[in-house]
Amino acid sequence: MSSPRTNAALVPGVPALLPSYASLDDPVADLRAACGAAVAGLGPRVALLASGSGLRVARSLLAETGSEEVTADATGVLVVGNGSAKRSLKAPGHLDERAEVFDDDLRRALLAPLPVALATLDQQLAEEMWADVAGIRRLGELLTPAHTAEVLYDAAPFGVQYWVVRWA
């Protein structure tokens, strides 16, 4: 899966993406649409790099697009993760002045992409920022500088930095 032809996508593991949270007034409609588009582009057989509630979200997104979760011969890789959860006073982790710089550095590594920077993300700082980067760190093993990133979503609703990015 480490060739430049590997298709990969990053989505956040926010529980609001689960169908049980959808309503007539969907607070994450734009994020949901971006995630659906990113996952649909991974093909029918998708490997997952996710854990915990992120795994539930990933499996739900696969089901919505009709893709199958696989561990071998994948047509794409779906990574679940997010930046800091401390970007505002109302954020789940409350405001931390380091959050914006942390997210800017992570954004740069994702979009370039910078595989070494991704693989060696500071786990301690990520934990302090309440960032889910386990899957993102593994992107360092999958991506090469030859990959091209397409950003489908980049915002921090509720004080949490979410990205939806796909690479080809």
Side-chain angles (χ1 to χ4, degrees):
M1 284 192 294
S2 62
S3 77
R5 291 191 305 252
T6 300
N7 290 323
L10 169 67
V11 299
V14 60
L17 290 171
L18 295 170
S20 58
Y21 287 83
S23 66
L24 292 176
D25 184 25
D26 187 351
V28 293
D30 292 347
L31 176 59
R32 185 182 310 281
C35 290
V39 174
L42 295 176
R45 300 174 46 80
V46 180
L48 300 180
L49 294 179
S51 60
S53 66
L55 191 56
R56 282 183 52 216
V57 170
R59 287 179 172 151
S60 175
L61 291 168
L62 288 183
E64 289 174 20
T65 60
S67 299
E68 174 188 8
E69 178 183 352
V70 298
T71 57
D73 300 321
T75 56
V77 179
L78 179 58
V79 178
V80 178
N82 57 264
S84 69
K86 295 188 172 197
R87 291 185 58 107
S88 72
L89 290 173
K90 294 183 179 184
H94 303 291
L95 180 65
D96 187 313
E97 298 296 332
R98 303 171 297 166
E100 193 170 332
V101 171
F102 174 84
D103 290 335
D104 288 346
D105 290 345
L106 183 49
R107 179 184 295 106
R108 201 169 12 266
L110 288 167
L111 301 185
L114 303 172
V116 173
L118 292 170
T120 60
L121 282 170
D122 183 337
Q123 186 63 39
Q124 177 67 36
L125 180 58
E127 288 173 13
E128 291 172 15
M129 294 297 104
W130 290 21
D132 179 4
V133 298
I136 293 173
R137 289 181 75 181
R138 295 195 49 205
L139 268 172
E141 303 165 14
L142 298 173
L143 300 178
T144 70
H147 280 91
T148 301
E150 178 185 6
V151 179
L152 304 176
Y153 186 92
D154 181 348
F158 321 112
V160 182
Q161 179 61 57
Y162 298 139
W163 294 286
V164 178
V165 182
R166 60 182 165 196
W167 295 268

